Amino acid sequence: MKQKVLTQHQRIVHPLKPLFQTDSKILILGSFPSVKTREYGFFYGHPQNRFWPVMEVLFQESLSTDIQERKEFLLRHQLAVYDSIYQCDIIGSSDASIQNVKPSDLKPIFQTANIQQVFCNGGTSYKYYQKYHADEFGLPGIQLPSTSPANARYRLEHLVEKWKVILEYLVDEE
């Protein structure tokens, strides 16, 4: 059976809540959840997205696809996750098609957590973080290469090399 290809914009409201706690030190922002992520019900749910494999290498842990296990992993490593965009018009999962953006409300994260740095997973996330959030929170944000399967330019080992910068912000202060 052939899968229906979406060719028209749909207005989508972000279906996920941000994940963070008081000791979260870094915030990783995607752009907007893909169709597969929305179906899965948690961040980076597309099976070909390399976010989770990158995290496994960086933290030398193996993870299943269990959402609760992934949540506990992120919180244990003081990582907060959310997206730059709360609502938009989008065709399928294409960041390039995003229009009519309403930014996410990041205030609850910054008011609760001890965020030291924001990392943006890809160019679209970075663009909208800079446009709507960077000045408000006084953190410029660091753009990392997207872990999306659409970013075929980067192999896993290259992503790991670029993403290891996050570890510098997780070292306990003496």
Side-chain angles (χ1 to χ4, degrees):
M1 188 168 136
K2 198 170 179 184
Q3 203 170 12
K4 184 182 161 200
V5 177
L6 294 172
T7 56
Q8 291 186 321
H9 282 88
Q10 292 181 295
R11 173 149 300 150
I12 308 285
V13 173
H14 203 300
L16 306 174
K17 291 187 178 346
L19 181 74
F20 62 95
Q21 60 189 13
T22 55
D23 71 345
S24 297
K25 287 186 179 178
I26 66 172
L27 172 59
I28 298 171
L29 290 175
S31 54
F32 192 76
S34 69
V35 172
K36 291 285 186 196
T37 290
R38 295 191 307 261
E39 290 169 359
Y40 173 64
F42 192 60
F43 298 93
Y44 307 106
H46 191 295
Q48 272 79 53
N49 192 301
R50 277 96 35 98
F51 178 81
W52 295 109
V54 166
M55 293 298 114
E56 288 179 324
V57 173
L58 290 179
F59 292 96
Q60 300 174 352
E61 290 186 42
S62 288
L63 294 167
S64 73
T65 58
D66 179 73
I67 291 173
Q68 191 58 39
E69 180 183 347
R70 288 178 170 185
K71 286 180 179 180
E72 290 168 4
F73 167 87
L74 292 167
L75 295 175
R76 184 170 67 251
H77 290 292
Q78 300 173 307
L79 305 174
V81 291
Y82 199 42
D83 291 307
S84 295
I85 300 168
Y86 177 71
Q87 179 182 304
C88 65
D89 296 342
I90 188 169
I91 299 172
S93 301
S94 170
D95 276 6
S97 75
I98 290 174
Q99 302 174 347
N100 302 319
V101 166
K102 288 190 179 169
S104 294
D105 180 5
L106 302 180
K107 281 189 213 80
I109 300 170
F110 281 92
Q111 289 171 347
T112 302
N114 184 26
I115 301 299
Q116 304 295 304
Q117 186 58 59
V118 175
F119 291 93
C120 297
N121 189 346
T124 304
S125 169
Y126 181 75
K127 172 184 166 182
Y128 288 106
Y129 175 76
Q130 293 302 335
K131 182 174 182 175
Y132 293 113
H133 306 292
D135 288 344
E136 179 179 2
F137 301 111
L139 286 174
I142 294 172
Q143 180 180 339
L144 294 173
S146 175
T147 59
S148 165
N151 183 15
R153 227 177 90 216
Y154 279 84
R155 295 203 331 257
L156 180 63
E157 53 270 20
H158 296 125
L159 287 171
V160 168
E161 186 62 29
K162 296 289 188 182
W163 275 77
K164 72 180 183 185
V165 66
I166 72 172
L167 299 176
E168 296 171 20
Y169 293 85
L170 298 172
V171 176
D172 288 328
E173 295 91 28
E174 296 294 318

